[in-house]
Amino acid sequence: MDRDDVTWYKEELDFQMIDWDFDPDTHIGRITIDRPPYNTYTQGTTAELIAGLKAFNFLDHEQPEIVVRAVIIEGKGEKAFSTGANLDDVDENESDGNRTKHDYENVVLDYSPRSFGGDMTGPIFLDHFERFPAPIIAKIQGYCLAGGLELALACDFRIASTDSKLGLTESNIGLFPSAGATQRLPQLVGTSKAKELLMLGSHITADEAEDCGLVDYVYDPENLEEQVSEFARALADRPPLAVRSIKSMVDLEPDVSKSVGIRIANREWARLHGTPDYEEGLAAFVEDREPEWEGVGHSWKG
C-alpha cells in the first residue's frame, strides 16, 4: 500500500463530519471529529466514527499483513476534543417515552444513533472503539466533557494538554453517563473517585486527571502533537500480533474469572508461538539485531 492508494481511498470514503487519514509509512491512522469549536455529536457523527474504524479494518483485510498498528482520535481545533452530544440536535419524536420495548430489544441493530447520551445506541457506538483490535489513543486538547469523555474512556490511552478540562457533566441536567462511563471510570480512578466525578459533574484540570489516573500523560499544548505521535509510533513499531493479543487479553470481560482468563491467555500465547513474527523476534534476539515484524495473521484482524 502506498500514499496514492490511501489518497484514492480517502476520496471514496467522503466523510462529512470527520477527517480520516492513514500513513502507510508509520502504519498510524487518525480520525478527527470535524465540528469545531466544541466538536459535538450530531445524528450522523457517531455513524461516521464507526465507519471510520471499519475503514481501517477494511485496509487490514485488503493486505496480507496487518497495516493499521495504532490509531489517534482527536477533535478539530484547540477548543475541545469533544463536549459530547449536541443537546439541540436530539429529536423529540425519538425520546425515551416514544420508544417501545421492541425498539430497545432491537436497538443493537441500529448503527445510526439519534442521540449519543440518552439513546441505548451509545454503548454500542463506544464498543466499536473499545473492541477495535489495534490500540487507540485519545489526543485531548481543550474541553473533554460528557459524551466526549465517554469516548476517550473507550480508548486505550488518553494523552492531554495542560489546558484541557475534563468532566462527566450529565448529572448537571439530571442524568448520568449511559454509554459505559459508570463501568469504565472506576477501573481507572477507583470507586470513590469515580462516584465523586460522576455525582458532582464538575470539571477537573488535566493535571488532576493525571493524578487520579484518568489520563496517562499531560504535555504543554505546543508539544502535544509531537508527544502523541511519538507514543503512537512506539506502539506501531511493536509486533502487531502481540500488541493486538495483549489488548484483547487485558480487555477480557470483567465477569470472566481469573482461572478462565489465564486459560484463554494461554491459548492466545500458543497461537502467537506459531507466527512468523515470533520466529523473527527470537532470531533477532539471538542475532542481536532489530526485528522486522511482518504482522501476518488473518485471525488477528478486526
Side-chain angles (χ1 to χ4, degrees):
M1 168 168 288
D2 57 30
R3 292 188 180 275
D4 289 339
D5 293 328
V6 173
T7 299
W8 173 85
Y9 190 46
K10 285 173 62 178
E11 291 173 352
E12 290 294 307
L13 292 172
D14 191 30
F15 290 125
Q16 303 299 312
M17 301 180 191
I18 67 170
D19 290 335
W20 184 99
D21 198 13
F22 176 72
D23 186 336
D25 296 325
T26 63
H27 299 278
I28 297 171
R30 189 179 295 251
I31 292 176
T32 304
I33 305 170
D34 188 8
R35 298 197 73 251
Y38 294 107
N39 298 310
T40 54
Y41 295 103
T42 60
Q43 294 179 6
T45 313
T46 51
E48 287 201 4
L49 286 166
I50 291 171
L53 290 181
K54 290 183 176 181
F56 289 130
N57 280 337
F58 180 80
L59 286 182
D60 275 343
H61 283 282
E62 284 294 293
Q63 307 297 320
E65 75 279 8
I66 287 174
V67 294
V68 182
R69 302 185 182 181
V71 172
I72 299 167
I73 181 164
E74 62 185 343
K76 192 84 165 184
E78 300 177 355
K79 189 76 171 178
F81 173 78
S82 173
T83 57
N86 181 354
L87 297 182
D88 294 332
D89 189 59
V90 177
D91 185 348
E92 293 182 0
N93 293 323
E94 294 294 347
S95 65
D96 286 351
N98 291 318
R99 295 183 70 95
T100 66
K101 182 173 182 289
H102 176 80
D103 290 332
Y104 282 120
E105 288 175 344
N106 292 280
V107 76
V108 69
L109 302 176
D110 183 1
Y111 284 92
S112 298
R114 285 167 291 280
S115 70
F116 176 71
D119 199 334
M120 287 180 65
T121 49
I124 297 165
F125 157 57
L126 291 183
D127 277 351
H128 284 273
F129 284 82
E130 191 166 59
R131 297 178 182 179
F132 186 74
I136 301 179
I137 305 164
K139 175 190 170 186
I140 300 169
Q141 184 166 11
Y143 291 107
C144 181
L145 305 175
L149 183 49
E150 288 220 77
L151 172 57
L153 286 171
C155 298
D156 299 285
F157 305 98
R158 286 152 296 282
I159 302 178
S161 62
T162 53
D163 60 352
S164 297
K165 299 287 186 182
L166 300 91
L168 291 159
T169 54
E170 287 85 348
S171 63
N172 295 332
I173 58 170
L175 296 173
F176 67 87
S178 65
T182 49
Q183 282 68 50
R184 294 184 179 103
L185 186 62
Q187 295 177 1
L188 294 174
V189 305
T191 302
S192 296
K193 189 64 177 180
K195 289 177 180 176
E196 176 188 336
L197 294 173
L198 290 161
M199 292 176 181
L200 295 182
S202 54
H203 299 181
I204 63 173
T205 67
D207 287 335
E208 290 172 321
E210 183 181 29
D211 287 343
C212 71
L214 179 54
V215 302
D216 300 293
Y217 301 102
V218 175
Y219 298 104
D220 292 333
E222 59 268 23
N223 297 324
L224 182 63
E225 172 59 28
E226 178 184 353
Q227 294 294 336
V228 170
S229 295
E230 183 177 324
F231 187 71
R233 286 194 296 270
L235 290 170
D237 286 343
R238 302 300 296 159
L241 303 187
V243 167
R244 292 190 174 202
S245 290
I246 290 166
K247 174 172 176 172
S248 64
M249 292 302 99
V250 173
D251 288 347
L252 283 174
E253 294 295 330
D255 57 354
V256 173
S257 69
K258 178 181 177 182
S259 59
V260 171
I262 290 173
R263 287 199 296 272
I264 293 172
N266 246 345
R267 288 198 293 269
E268 189 72 2
W269 178 84
R271 279 211 308 158
L272 288 170
H273 250 259
T275 64
D277 275 358
Y278 166 71
E279 296 176 0
E280 167 62 11
L282 193 60
F285 177 80
V286 171
E287 298 165 13
D288 192 24
R289 60 173 174 81
E290 289 295 320
E292 297 181 8
W293 309 115
E294 294 183 31
V296 178
H298 181 76
S299 60
W300 277 269
K301 299 180 179 183

